[in-house]
């Protein structure tokens, strides 16, 4: 699977973010608390409806905790290629 883009709307600390990923290896760098792990949480939530923290037994994070503070709606859209076909997955 090759991820082309990720769009986050009111997901954790991101109000609206459009990430475009190019071919090859992608690195995500930033200071502590910058939102690097949030990108991976968004990918997992978009594809499977859970994040690593939500899926762990005994986790205290609820899906409602993923919504940006002060907002009611959230969503993630992800476009990727797999096996020569392009897919777009959206969850809100």
């Amino acid at each position: 699977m090759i991820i082309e883009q990720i769009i986050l709307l009111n997901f954790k600390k991101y109000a609206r973010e459009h990430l475009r990923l190019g071919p090859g290896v992608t690195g995500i760098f930033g200071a502590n608390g910058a939102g690097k792990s949030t990108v991976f949480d968004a990918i997992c939530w978009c594809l499977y409806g859970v994040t690593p923290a939500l899926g762990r037994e005994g986790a205290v994070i609820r899906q409602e905790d993923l919504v940006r503070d002060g907002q009611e709606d959230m969503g993630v859209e992800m476009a990727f290629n797999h096996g020569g076909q392009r897919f777009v997955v959206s969850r809100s």
Side-chain angles (χ1 to χ4, degrees):
M1 175 170 73
I2 300 172
I3 300 173
E4 295 176 347
Q5 68 178 0
I6 305 165
I7 300 171
L8 300 101
L9 177 64
N10 295 325
F11 191 88
K12 292 178 98 172
K13 70 180 340 177
Y14 291 102
R16 178 153 183 87
E17 190 67 41
H18 190 162
L19 306 171
R20 296 181 206 283
L21 307 174
V25 176
T26 299
I28 299 177
F29 301 92
N32 288 345
K36 301 176 301 291
S37 296
T38 298
V39 173
F40 295 104
D41 285 343
I43 291 169
C44 292
W45 183 75
C46 185
L47 292 174
Y48 306 109
V50 296
T51 68
L54 286 172
R56 261 198 321 257
E57 187 174 332
V60 294
I61 296 175
R62 299 168 300 150
Q63 184 162 304
E64 295 81 26
D65 295 332
L66 301 175
V67 181
R68 182 176 161 85
D69 289 342
Q71 302 299 315
E72 294 182 16
D73 299 322
M74 75 166 169
V76 177
E77 182 176 294
M78 186 174 125
F80 62 92
N81 279 301
H82 180 70
Q85 292 186 351
R86 185 173 195 267
F87 297 90
V88 177
V89 177
S90 179
R91 185 181 297 270
S92 59

